[in-house]
Amino acid sequence: MFGTLFAFAAKTLKNSYEANKRNAMLQKEKTEMELNFLRAQIHPHFLFNTLNNIYGMVMENERAGQVVLKLSDLLRFSLYESSGMRIPIGREVEFLADYINLEQIRHHNTRVAISYDFDHIKNKETPIVPLLLISFVENAFKHGVNATIGKAWVRISLKQEGDTILFHVENSKPDTKKERPATTGIGIENAKRRLALLYPDKHHLNITETADSYKVSLTLHIND
């Protein structure tokens, strides 16, 4: 009798262990599938937006050469260097700077004031998920600057304090009475989802909106 009960208990524990192991594997596969799906969306979304940005400039030879060089760097990073789960934050910063410089070339007139500060990264080898911050920067230009007919501005900063990354993006909003309203697109939602999957309980995202500005503040703990 005791032997039968012991065998039954052992079998139950084994089945429970195998079920938990199987569920854990399924959850891992589900998470990987979600991340791959999000990455597949981010790449073409970003690339097509960038190509649209330079569409009206192809006949301006002096600036077109600069744009092609910047775009080639962006494409190389987006297609080849960002395939890993982590990259050095210094490389991510270079990518962001290239994108912003491309926008500066595009908005070369005095209508748009663009400023950024990436000089406070203590350790450029600190690992970070690639293409995590670009959606917030792209959103500032697409739904802020590009949607505004009059003067516009964008301010971006990224700094490191120990194991914490502080990222801020703020942009002007168009006058909704005179111009089309600024909205957020799929890029922001993807960024939120990736943060939830890859930095659970290790990030704080705060988005504030006023009548004339839109601000994103992200605190990211990267001691993994």
Side-chain angles (χ1 to χ4, degrees):
M1 181 66 177
F2 179 80
T4 302
L5 289 174
F6 181 83
F8 176 78
K11 184 177 181 180
T12 301
L13 288 174
K14 180 181 178 182
N15 290 341
S16 177
Y17 170 78
E18 291 178 349
N20 290 336
K21 183 179 180 180
R22 183 166 55 253
N23 289 336
M25 291 179 62
L26 289 173
Q27 182 60 41
K28 181 181 179 181
E29 291 177 1
K30 179 176 179 291
T31 299
E32 290 177 349
M33 288 177 63
E34 288 181 327
L35 289 173
N36 289 335
F37 173 73
L38 291 173
R39 179 170 286 148
Q41 285 184 307
I42 289 169
H43 285 187
H45 176 69
F46 169 71
L47 296 180
F48 280 116
N49 277 344
T50 305
L51 290 173
N52 285 335
N53 284 345
I54 67 170
Y55 177 75
M57 301 170 55
V58 293
M59 300 304 294
E60 300 179 29
N61 293 333
E62 184 176 351
R63 289 193 298 142
Q66 300 177 48
V67 171
V68 170
L69 288 175
K70 289 295 181 184
L71 182 59
S72 65
D73 289 339
L74 294 175
L75 292 174
R76 186 181 303 109
F77 180 90
S78 184
L79 292 174
Y80 301 113
E81 297 184 45
S82 65
S83 58
M85 289 297 293
R86 298 287 191 279
I87 62 169
I89 192 171
R91 189 65 188 95
E92 181 79 0
V93 165
E94 290 176 6
F95 173 72
L96 292 175
D98 281 342
Y99 179 86
I100 296 169
N101 289 336
L102 186 62
E103 290 287 359
Q104 287 177 319
I105 294 172
R106 181 186 178 215
H107 300 286
H108 65 289
N109 54 42
T110 58
R111 182 183 73 84
V112 182
I114 301 171
S115 64
Y116 66 95
D117 180 7
F118 297 154
D119 295 332
H120 301 284
I121 302 298
K122 300 296 180 60
N123 180 8
K124 293 184 178 181
E125 296 301 316
T126 301
I128 191 173
V129 172
L131 295 175
L132 186 65
L133 308 177
I134 185 62
S135 293
F136 301 110
V137 176
E138 184 187 20
N139 188 79
F141 284 100
K142 182 179 180 181
H143 300 291
V145 172
N146 299 344
T148 304
I149 297 174
K151 290 186 177 296
W153 52 267
V154 177
R155 305 186 190 109
I156 304 164
S157 69
L158 178 67
K159 66 179 180 178
Q160 182 180 15
E161 295 181 354
D163 292 329
T164 301
I165 295 296
L166 303 173
F167 181 62
H168 300 282
V169 181
E170 188 173 6
N171 61 272
S172 58
K173 287 172 53 180
D175 186 345
T176 55
K177 295 179 181 179
K178 301 178 181 179
E179 306 164 37
R180 59 183 177 178
T183 58
T184 56
I186 190 174
I188 294 293
E189 294 306 315
N190 276 348
K192 290 180 180 179
R193 183 60 178 155
R194 293 183 76 206
L195 283 167
L197 288 170
L198 295 167
Y199 292 98
D201 303 319
K202 291 186 177 182
H203 77 278
H204 177 71
L205 177 64
N206 185 41
I207 298 178
T208 56
E209 190 171 1
T210 66
D212 56 6
S213 68
Y214 185 90
K215 183 177 182 179
V216 173
S217 296
L218 173 65
T219 302
L220 193 63
H221 303 288
I222 50 177
N223 56 339
D224 52 359

